[in-house]
Amino acid sequence: MSFRSYKRLIYYLIAFLAIFLFLVFNLLEFELRSEEGEIETLSDAFWYSIVTLTTVGYGDMVPTSTGGRAIGYILIFLSLGVYGLLIGQISTIMANIKEHKKLGMYGTNFEDHIVVIGWTHFGKTVIDQLIKAGRKVAIVTRNRDNIDLLKELYQNKNLFVLYSDYENFELLEKVNIQKSNTVFINLEDDTEKLVYILNLKKEYSGLNFIVTLENSNLKQTFISAGVTHAISRNEIASRLLASYMFEPDVALYSEEILAYPTNDEEYDMKQFKVLEKNPYNGQEYNKVFFELKKNENVILMGLVRVEEGKRTAYKNPADNFKIRTGDYLIMLMNQKTQRSIKRVFNLEEGV
């Protein structure tokens, strides 16, 4: 309900209250003049008026004067209008609450989630993988028709949808953008993406941005603008296509591990952070490699170490390379072993 509608409702209530009080006091005055009057106090007048107005009609007291009965008639007819007004307003309020909730106007308490600005067919393939991986996703769309489609596609508690104009940065508070893990800018044009990121950074600092580019030559421009990851869709597709031409088995394997596994026959590469109490913390790489394979049926592919804000990937470190707290182990696993690794590492996958 809009502010104007609330204001109008308040005016109606004030007007009704004024009319009601006018009738109650006049009813009492008429009845006090009647010798047979049963309504003798202001409390009696209020009781009779409320009982009549609500159509309860106990009949324990009735007006006997001509003026009192006239007011009784007015109260009876008013009761019809009051019920109609109340039912109509309550229905309107409930419908507005439902609509506002559907449009995301009440916000979300998601944290460490993925915010997706824009909805496209390509974005759908990305969101499909995120939802399968159990990640929380907040989608911002400016197309009203997308709301019903998204609700139908993803009947999932990990999805939140906000209907908003992209340039309304204040409304992005509804998706809890400042506590998000990553913001995926999923707009159509590369230039539009760059301008949007620069404007968004003025409102919210410290966000991690990721974009896909149509023009791979703009990658360095986006990195310089503060984007964490700028990926060329054509570049990825061309590499995979070339791999299919001369090493098709490797290409098939690469395609499989890029997607989230849906059963224990499919494998995926995942990264898990090493906490202080992790059993592999402080151990040498080669020892961890063999223990993971023996105990969990997981293949350790390498690790990433974060030093002074810079991430360094060690794809095949020396055998005596020691694992530290805060390192990310990159491992190949299926769904069954993933559940086991979660228990061992005592946390979810990812950054």
Side-chain angles (χ1 to χ4, degrees):
M1 184 180 287
S2 65
F3 175 75
R4 184 175 295 179
S5 299
Y6 279 117
K7 192 175 179 181
R8 185 168 60 248
L9 178 59
I10 291 172
Y11 286 154
Y12 285 152
L13 291 174
I14 292 173
F16 171 76
L17 183 61
I19 294 171
F20 178 71
L21 292 175
F22 173 80
L23 294 174
V24 168
F25 282 104
N26 277 276
L27 172 66
L28 179 61
E29 186 176 347
F30 284 130
E31 290 302 296
L32 288 176
R33 295 176 185 174
S34 174
E35 294 180 359
E36 299 176 358
E38 298 177 0
I39 300 173
E40 300 175 344
T41 66
L42 185 60
S43 176
D44 291 341
F46 270 109
W47 174 256
Y48 167 78
S49 299
I50 292 172
V51 166
T52 304
L53 196 61
T54 57
T55 69
V56 175
Y58 285 119
D60 55 342
M61 59 179 66
V62 293
T64 57
S65 65
T66 303
R69 288 180 178 178
I71 291 176
Y73 282 121
I74 294 173
L75 289 171
I76 290 171
F77 285 115
L78 272 179
S79 67
L80 302 176
V82 168
Y83 271 106
L85 177 64
L86 286 176
I87 292 172
Q89 290 298 328
I90 291 172
S91 298
T92 301
I93 290 171
M94 295 301 294
N96 277 292
I97 289 174
K98 185 178 180 179
E99 183 69 9
H100 285 180
K101 184 179 180 180
K102 181 180 180 181
L103 300 179
M105 293 301 142
Y106 297 117
T108 180
N109 58 0
F110 282 0
E111 293 186 12
D112 195 34
H113 57 298
I114 312 298
V115 174
V116 181
I117 308 293
W119 170 254
T120 62
H121 290 298
F122 174 76
K124 178 184 179 302
T125 61
V126 176
I127 294 166
D128 285 346
Q129 294 297 315
L130 292 171
I131 294 294
K132 286 179 182 178
R135 298 306 303 269
K136 294 178 180 178
V137 180
I139 304 172
V140 182
T141 177
R142 60 186 172 193
N143 188 336
R144 177 66 178 77
D145 295 335
N146 287 338
I147 303 295
D148 292 326
L149 175 63
L150 288 165
K151 296 288 186 181
E152 184 177 345
L153 283 174
Y154 307 105
Q155 299 176 8
N156 194 295
K157 64 180 180 180
N158 287 338
L159 181 82
F160 175 80
V161 183
L162 173 67
Y163 172 61
S164 171
D165 184 64
Y166 300 148
E167 283 69 36
N168 190 346
F169 296 129
E170 290 185 5
L171 206 56
L172 292 182
E173 294 282 354
K174 302 288 185 183
V175 296
N176 212 10
I177 194 169
Q178 287 183 301
K179 294 186 178 180
S180 66
N181 178 288
T182 304
V183 180
F184 172 34
I185 308 300
N186 187 37
L187 304 179
E188 296 288 351
D189 181 72
D190 286 349
T191 303
E192 185 183 8
K193 294 173 187 175
L194 182 60
V195 172
Y196 187 82
I197 289 169
L198 293 174
N199 289 330
L200 187 58
K201 286 183 67 178
K202 295 177 184 178
E203 299 292 329
Y204 302 100
S205 60
L207 298 178
N208 293 320
F209 292 101
I210 185 167
V211 295
T212 55
L213 303 176
E214 299 295 332
N215 186 352
S216 59
N217 295 326
L218 294 175
K219 183 173 183 177
Q220 192 54 50
T221 303
F222 276 83
I223 298 298
S224 300
V227 172
T228 310
H229 299 291
I231 304 159
S232 171
R233 278 189 271 174
N234 293 333
E235 188 177 358
I236 294 174
S238 61
R239 288 180 180 180
L240 191 59
L241 179 61
S243 182
Y244 268 111
M245 292 178 181
F246 65 92
E247 46 185 13
D249 297 319
V250 173
L252 281 169
Y253 190 71
S254 299
E255 189 174 353
E256 179 181 323
I257 64 176
L258 283 173
Y260 188 83
T262 56
N263 56 62
D264 290 342
E265 302 301 320
E266 297 177 353
Y267 281 78
D268 186 18
M269 287 182 65
K270 300 185 179 297
Q271 63 182 79
F272 281 82
K273 188 175 183 179
V274 177
L275 302 179
E276 187 175 356
K277 295 183 179 180
N278 189 295
Y280 302 116
N281 186 24
Q283 293 194 31
E284 294 182 348
Y285 183 87
N286 65 325
K287 184 179 179 181
V288 174
F289 179 93
F290 288 110
E291 284 189 10
L292 281 171
K293 176 59 182 173
K294 179 182 177 181
N295 300 332
E296 310 295 340
N297 194 27
V298 168
I299 299 175
L300 181 60
M301 309 293 290
L303 63 83
V304 173
R305 178 163 292 170
V306 183
E307 295 178 304
E308 298 180 357
K310 183 180 178 182
R311 307 179 72 86
T312 304
Y314 296 89
K315 299 172 184 176
N316 189 24
D319 290 347
N320 59 354
F321 189 97
K322 285 197 173 183
I323 294 171
R324 300 179 188 170
T325 301
D327 287 348
Y328 288 89
L329 300 190
I330 300 174
M331 299 168 282
L332 185 66
M333 65 185 74
N334 60 16
Q335 274 196 324
K336 181 178 180 181
T337 52
Q338 180 186 344
R339 293 190 289 269
S340 177
I341 287 295
K342 283 183 181 180
R343 291 193 293 269
V344 173
F345 281 67
N346 197 29
L347 81 171
E348 295 289 331
E349 63 170 305
V351 179

